[in-house]
Amino acid sequence: MTIQVVACKTEYRINPIGLDVVKPRLFWQMRSDTEGGLQSAYQIRVASSRDKLEHDQADMWDSGKVCSTTSTHVPYDGKPLQAEGEYYWKVRIWDGSDMQSAWSETAYWMMGILSRGEWKAQWIGRKTEPGALMQPSPFLRKPFEVKKKVRRAIAYATALGVYDFHLNGERIGERFAPGWTDYNTRVQVQAVDITEKLEVGGHVLGAILGDGWYAGTVGFLGNNVYGERPFFLMQVSIHYEDGTIDSVITDSSWRTSKGPIHYSDMIKGETYDAREELTGWLLHGYDDSSWEAPDVRSGYNGLLVAEVEPPIRITQTRKPVSMKKTAAGTYIYDMGQNMVGWTEVKVQGERGTQITLSHAEMLNPDGTLYMANLREACQQDHYILKGEGQECYEPHFTFHGFRYVELIGYPSEPDLETIVGKVVHSDMSVTGQLETSDAMVNQLYSNITWGQRGNFLSVPTDCPQRDERLGWTGDAQIFARTAAYNMDVSRFFSKYVWDMVDCQQPSGAFTDVAPDAGWIRHKNWNTRLNWFAPDNSGWGDAGIIIPWTIYVMYGDVRILETHYEAMVKWVCYLKNTTNELVRPGYANYADWLSIGADTPNEVLATAYFAYSTKLLALIAGVLGKSEDEIGYQALFSNIATAFRKAFVANDGRIHGDTQTVYVLALQFGLLTEEQRKQAQDRLVADIQERGDRLSTGFLGVGYLLPALTDIGSLDVAYKLLMQEAFPSWMYSIKHGATTIWERWDGWTEEQGFQTPSMNSFNHYSLGSVGEWMFRYMAGIEADPKAPGFKHVIISPKPGGGLSWVKASYESLYGRIAVAWSRTEAGDFRLEVEVPANTTATIHLPDRAASVHKVGSGNYVFESISMLN
């Protein structure tokens, strides 16, 4: 029998650098070759150097033997951590029989710059180019000398805008750094280890700036939302072997110039003139005497915080599946997948030749690109050749949503090797896998995951193609649980919650989008919209629902502690804007894009008020705030009573009589037992009256199949899942969809394309059914009483004609897997994998509804005709 410690992480990451958390949390996994393996104790040692740790000199912290099964979110509890300090740690554990493991492999973390006073660098940029409608990207450079052998060198960089960082001609770091935040409040700092790249001698730091979200076009809100032009901040700390420290900082000694990027805008695309390339600008010895002194910004009043979100990266390169020459002499490529990112092209031709890459999600009936839905966005990149043999181009500070690429002005005959597509998104590790015996269900799951890839880019956007791409909170909250099954969104949503809190209003209202970026001002001033609601039910509630989701999926108590007061302010705001606990019907969005059903705003608003209050009571209980817990439980009970009084008729019908009103009332626990039965009957009847079809929009769809399953109508849930007639998930798949559409009727056989004013073919909201696929169809469920899958609930729900389902989820404790199969005769087999240091309760779908409580290990359950 052996036990082992693996997968050591700090703050969800492997060996992170640049942290500003004063008590970083430590994570590890247990491996055991015996069933039921549980950790009974642990010991952590932390030292200020690798050498000290290897010699068991834990000069920072030795926890001693701590009797605990906890192996996630263990806070550092040693001596105070120093700015830019490096810390090495290891852990060993004991199992239930007091067997001791070996020490884990050494892990480490490095602290970053912890106070404003430690920043010596200045913000630098370039003055506006006179007469330019869109500004060229500034190029910045700084030569410097390394005089001694380097022990450690870390570059701390950020921008008001976005930046590409280069060292000695090599691009270093991630895309679209530092990500999108409310720049008036905070900006994230990236820390990059450049130790291995510095030798004694001359070096050159370089940066290219993009307008990004700061000064570029932000959705339909225009440009210069936060500022007029971008600025860059960098501080490089060089620690020499002899103990001395040097630094290189951004200041007036840098040089700047415009270059080949005439403009590069998130929404408007890019123009690049290769004839104007600054050849050799990243090499030592380059003559920059013609360059300008930078414009030095006097300061910045926001917070400089360590990067929280995962980096944005190119995660895949995809080749086109076909190419067709058009009558106009252009070439249209099909990438075979609706994706987000950009196109790289290879070309050879005469100097001054311009080629254009145009991107779209769909084709018109005549085979041309469908671009009507882009509104003011311009998904085009223009490249002007320098005429020096084969050239290769890809854009810098823009991204597109597309399946089809039109190559215009190409100087010769292209082929399938001429272009490749680069898939770009926040790089979150894949945690979920799901496959079934039905090809269309598998395509649905693929569409859900591609929708997440396409829209999780620094913030959860609503579409990646048109002039919007805003972080709508309602979309994010309904999809958050699905997202957490698919990928590790722990850091992504931790950062996004800060975005929501940063733009929370003085009243306590959370905003519709985060970062707000001027949306509140826009909607209140826009007479065409006539949207003046100070809050929107289901959208503002994301400020509670998303933190709770992160707690359930990862066991993250700190996110609840950190934002508790913001959540309290939200519920207090909701309570203060009621009439006897019934909320008003002024919301702008309701059950957005429902189909053939109009759910009353006041019903939605009161239901979500109840749900936020219910969750806040649970959160107060987790945090040990017993008085608050009791108070919010009582408030929830009173809201539910008010809901019933205001909206539930004697025959059980709820005001509005839509699928969504019944679904929310059932899922949020707002009805009496008698009313629950009436609501169940009415919900099922409505679905059946529509020919086994749904009518729910953004807010109702995520709860629809869970509600049906919970009330014992699993067969109806599966009928909706498998429905191929419009409206349904499968309808779009029948017609070639490779991502989730924004609206059920984005395209129909009868009507063609919906209104181009709002018609995205890559949107994740209606993909919230993925949560049901994991939690119910496959049966992998978290237990809020032992969150983060410390205790796993396995409860598969076979149905829908599926003969088998396989699913797995990489939890913080390790892999959880379920595979079930059944024959036509009803013979059933269930295979379950439970990771070490967890327990599981397995519910079998047999007549007896038998339950098995197990520890870690691999289990097989078989029964003949157990479903008959």
Side-chain angles (χ1 to χ4, degrees):
M1 185 173 72
T2 60
I3 56 173
Q4 185 183 10
V5 180
V6 298
C8 292
K9 294 182 180 180
T10 306
E11 286 298 315
Y12 292 108
R13 287 179 268 181
I14 298 172
N15 301 335
I17 65 174
L19 296 183
D20 60 3
V21 181
V22 296
K23 287 186 177 294
R25 294 164 295 178
L26 309 179
F27 302 71
W28 61 88
Q29 291 180 8
M30 174 184 180
R31 292 285 184 270
S32 174
D33 58 4
T34 59
E35 288 186 355
L38 279 176
Q39 172 188 297
S40 63
Y42 66 80
Q43 181 179 11
I44 300 169
R45 286 179 177 169
V46 182
S48 58
S49 72
R50 187 182 295 272
D51 183 67
K52 287 180 179 177
L53 189 66
E54 289 174 354
H55 289 87
D56 292 326
Q57 298 174 27
D59 61 327
M60 295 303 297
W61 183 40
D62 187 336
S63 70
K65 185 177 180 180
V66 178
C67 293
S68 172
T69 66
T70 302
S71 58
T72 67
H73 302 280
V74 177
Y76 169 80
D77 195 26
K79 295 178 183 176
L81 302 173
Q82 303 301 309
E84 300 190 68
E86 50 190 303
Y87 302 99
Y88 298 83
W89 68 281
K90 59 185 178 181
V91 59
R92 63 180 175 184
I93 63 174
W94 287 260
D95 69 5
S97 59
D98 211 33
M99 175 177 284
Q100 176 184 293
S101 75
W103 287 102
S104 67
E105 294 289 327
T106 296
Y108 68 85
W109 78 85
M110 296 185 191
M111 301 300 289
I113 297 173
L114 300 182
S115 69
R116 186 176 291 274
E118 294 161 14
W119 278 101
K120 306 305 177 185
Q122 296 175 292
W123 293 92
I124 62 172
R126 185 173 181 269
K127 291 182 178 177
T128 304
E129 190 75 13
L133 292 176
M134 300 182 72
Q135 289 297 310
S137 290
F139 285 62
L140 300 157
R141 74 183 302 270
K142 169 70 176 181
F144 67 100
E145 298 284 335
V146 172
K147 301 172 184 152
K148 296 175 278 189
K149 188 173 182 181
V150 174
R151 182 183 71 81
R152 187 187 71 171
I154 306 294
Y156 303 95
T158 189
L160 299 174
V162 291
Y163 69 90
D164 278 351
F165 168 43
H166 300 258
L167 176 63
N168 301 331
E170 179 185 354
R171 190 188 185 287
I172 298 173
E174 315 303 344
R175 306 282 175 162
F176 301 115
W180 187 8
T181 54
D182 182 342
Y183 298 98
N184 297 323
T185 303
R186 74 183 64 233
V187 67
Q188 298 179 110
V189 175
Q190 288 71 47
V192 183
D193 189 339
I194 58 173
T195 306
E196 301 302 319
K197 302 181 185 301
L198 295 188
E199 298 177 348
V200 174
H203 300 270
V204 176
L205 292 171
I208 310 172
L209 303 187
D211 291 341
W213 298 278
Y214 180 77
T217 309
V218 178
F220 46 72
L221 303 174
N223 60 357
N224 304 144
V225 169
Y226 297 99
E228 183 186 38
R229 54 205 165 97
F231 286 87
F232 182 58
L233 184 75
M234 173 177 277
Q235 186 158 308
V236 181
S237 296
I238 305 172
H239 297 248
Y240 294 111
E241 291 281 5
D242 64 5
T244 59
I245 300 173
D246 202 357
S247 63
V248 183
I249 62 173
T250 47
D251 58 17
S252 61
S253 68
W254 284 55
R255 305 292 288 173
T256 183
S257 173
K258 67 176 181 179
I261 305 174
H262 286 196
Y263 64 86
S264 190
D265 185 88
M266 294 284 195
I267 301 292
K268 301 294 187 179
E270 177 173 305
T271 289
Y272 185 99
D273 190 339
R275 299 171 298 180
E276 300 176 20
E277 287 180 342
L278 305 168
T279 304
W281 74 283
L282 288 167
L283 301 179
H284 206 267
Y286 174 82
D287 182 7
D288 61 11
S289 58
S290 64
W291 287 37
E292 310 153 22
D295 189 28
V296 179
R297 180 184 169 118
S298 55
Y300 168 67
N301 286 330
L303 301 171
L304 295 171
V305 300
E307 183 178 57
V308 177
E309 69 183 72
I312 299 168
R313 292 179 175 138
I314 297 170
T315 61
Q316 292 185 36
T317 298
R318 295 183 66 89
K319 293 184 177 181
V321 298
S322 68
M323 179 193 75
K324 182 179 181 180
K325 188 172 183 177
T326 70
T330 65
Y331 301 86
I332 293 182
Y333 289 86
D334 180 0
M335 303 306 298
Q337 172 65 54
N338 197 0
M339 55 176 278
V340 171
W342 53 75
T343 309
E344 179 185 85
V345 61
K346 293 184 291 187
V347 61
Q348 185 169 336
E350 292 185 6
R351 182 178 178 84
T353 301
Q354 177 174 305
I355 63 172
T356 296
L357 295 155
S358 191
H359 304 80
E361 296 179 291
M362 302 283 273
L363 297 178
N364 290 309
D366 63 0
T368 59
L369 297 190
Y370 172 69
M371 302 175 73
N373 68 330
L374 299 182
R375 301 191 305 212
E376 295 299 316
C378 181
Q379 294 203 125
Q380 292 186 334
D381 302 318
H382 308 285
Y383 178 72
I384 302 170
L385 279 66
K386 58 187 172 184
E388 299 176 6
Q390 182 166 291
E391 303 173 42
C392 188
Y393 165 73
E394 61 182 306
H396 297 75
F397 304 117
T398 189
F399 66 92
H400 312 301
F402 64 99
R403 172 173 174 170
Y404 300 97
V405 183
E406 185 171 15
L407 183 56
I408 305 168
Y410 198 76
S412 58
E413 290 290 326
D415 56 26
L416 288 177
E417 302 298 319
T418 300
I419 71 167
V420 294
K422 303 290 184 74
V423 178
V424 180
H425 58 89
S426 294
D427 189 12
M428 303 159 287
S429 61
V430 174
T431 50
Q433 302 284 346
L434 190 146
E435 186 181 6
T436 78
S437 57
D438 188 286
M440 290 186 71
V441 175
N442 296 341
Q443 185 63 52
L444 172 59
Y445 182 64
S446 175
N447 291 6
I448 292 167
T449 59
W450 274 101
Q452 184 169 345
R453 286 189 191 97
N455 286 286
F456 277 40
L457 197 153
S458 188
V459 302
T461 63
D462 61 319
C463 60
Q465 73 298 103
R466 67 176 179 240
D467 61 339
E468 192 160 349
R469 313 183 195 185
L470 301 176
W472 289 94
T473 51
D475 309 32
Q477 65 87 3
I478 202 67
F479 188 75
R481 191 76 179 271
T482 298
Y485 275 110
N486 294 337
M487 301 177 185
D488 179 359
V489 295
S490 54
R491 293 168 56 202
F492 182 86
F493 274 129
S494 291
K495 179 264 185 183
Y496 185 64
V497 173
W498 274 116
D499 293 334
M500 288 189 284
V501 171
D502 283 346
C503 55
Q504 187 176 21
Q505 299 299 289
S507 64
F510 284 115
T511 54
D512 306 340
V513 299
D516 176 72
W519 168 246
I520 292 175
R521 182 178 65 250
H522 175 81
K523 75 172 185 175
N524 283 329
W525 288 3
N526 190 311
T527 55
R528 179 186 61 82
L529 283 176
N530 200 34
W531 283 354
F532 306 115
D535 67 272
N536 274 282
S537 54
W539 273 256
D541 300 281
I544 289 182
I545 293 170
I546 292 178
W548 176 253
T549 301
I550 297 304
Y551 170 73
V552 170
M553 294 297 286
Y554 302 104
D556 193 329
V557 176
R558 187 172 287 179
I559 196 170
L560 304 182
E561 294 172 335
T562 302
H563 301 296
Y564 183 73
E565 290 306 316
M567 293 186 273
V568 167
K569 284 174 61 179
W570 168 246
V571 169
C572 182
Y573 165 79
L574 294 178
K575 183 174 182 290
N576 290 337
T577 53
T578 64
N579 180 8
E580 296 181 348
L581 299 182
V582 173
R583 295 216 64 235
Y586 55 53
N588 302 131
Y589 315 132
D591 190 24
W592 189 247
L593 298 183
S594 57
I595 193 87
D598 293 319
T599 295
N601 282 335
E602 61 272 23
V603 179
L604 271 174
T606 306
Y608 264 98
F609 171 32
Y611 188 48
S612 280
T613 304
K614 184 178 188 176
L615 292 184
L616 188 56
L618 293 171
I619 290 166
V622 169
L623 299 180
K625 299 178 183 292
S626 55
E627 288 188 14
D628 285 5
E629 180 184 15
I630 294 168
Y632 290 123
Q633 285 174 342
L635 177 58
F636 167 76
S637 178
N638 291 337
I639 300 167
T641 299
F643 179 92
R644 295 191 295 270
K645 180 180 177 183
F647 304 126
V648 183
N650 291 334
D651 63 356
R653 293 208 175 203
I654 300 175
H655 179 49
D657 197 32
T658 64
Q659 292 175 17
T660 291
V661 298
Y662 295 108
V663 164
L664 297 187
L666 289 166
Q667 286 295 98
F668 296 170
L670 304 179
L671 306 176
T672 65
E673 280 304 311
E674 181 182 356
Q675 290 170 341
R676 281 186 63 83
K677 180 63 170 64
Q678 293 170 323
Q680 294 168 16
D681 293 344
R682 183 61 197 135
L683 173 60
V684 171
D686 186 88
I687 293 168
Q688 292 173 342
E689 288 165 7
R690 294 173 183 268
D692 295 324
R693 299 178 201 182
L694 50 72
S695 67
T696 47
F698 280 22
L699 296 185
V701 69
Y703 299 111
L704 178 59
L705 300 197
L708 287 167
T709 308
D710 288 345
I711 65 176
S713 296
L714 179 65
D715 58 331
V716 180
Y718 268 109
K719 284 179 182 177
L720 291 177
L721 179 73
M722 313 298 270
Q723 176 64 260
E724 296 182 14
F726 171 81
S728 67
W729 290 283
M730 297 305 175
Y731 183 80
S732 65
I733 292 171
K734 277 179 61 180
H735 293 286
T738 61
T739 43
I740 298 294
W741 294 355
E742 178 177 23
R743 45 197 319 155
W744 299 112
D745 57 354
W747 181 92
T748 62
E749 292 172 295
E750 294 77 18
Q751 301 296 325
F753 291 113
Q754 243 286 2
T755 169
S757 64
M758 192 185 69
N759 198 20
S760 163
F761 292 95
N762 190 351
H763 199 297
Y764 57 78
S765 290
L766 300 180
S768 55
V769 67
E771 173 185 344
W772 179 87
M773 295 167 77
F774 272 100
R775 292 177 58 199
Y776 293 85
M777 184 175 73
I780 301 176
E781 172 69 297
D783 182 353
K785 296 178 181 177
F789 294 90
K790 179 66 171 173
H791 178 249
V792 187
I793 299 171
I794 304 294
S795 185
K797 301 286 191 295
L802 296 177
S803 57
W804 57 266
V805 168
K806 297 177 183 177
S808 64
Y809 173 71
E810 289 291 337
S811 74
L812 291 176
Y813 296 93
R815 184 173 186 263
I816 302 164
V818 169
W820 63 255
S821 61
R822 63 176 183 173
T823 66
E824 291 184 7
D827 299 345
F828 185 81
R829 177 183 173 90
L830 174 65
E831 301 175 35
V832 177
E833 179 182 344
V834 181
N837 203 29
T838 69
T839 58
T841 301
I842 301 172
H843 300 262
L844 295 180
D846 55 14
R847 282 182 172 181
S850 52
V851 177
H852 301 262
K853 295 185 177 181
V854 301
S856 64
N858 293 280
Y859 303 91
V860 177
F861 302 90
E862 289 183 293
S863 181
I864 297 175
S865 300
M866 67 186 299
L867 298 180
N868 289 349

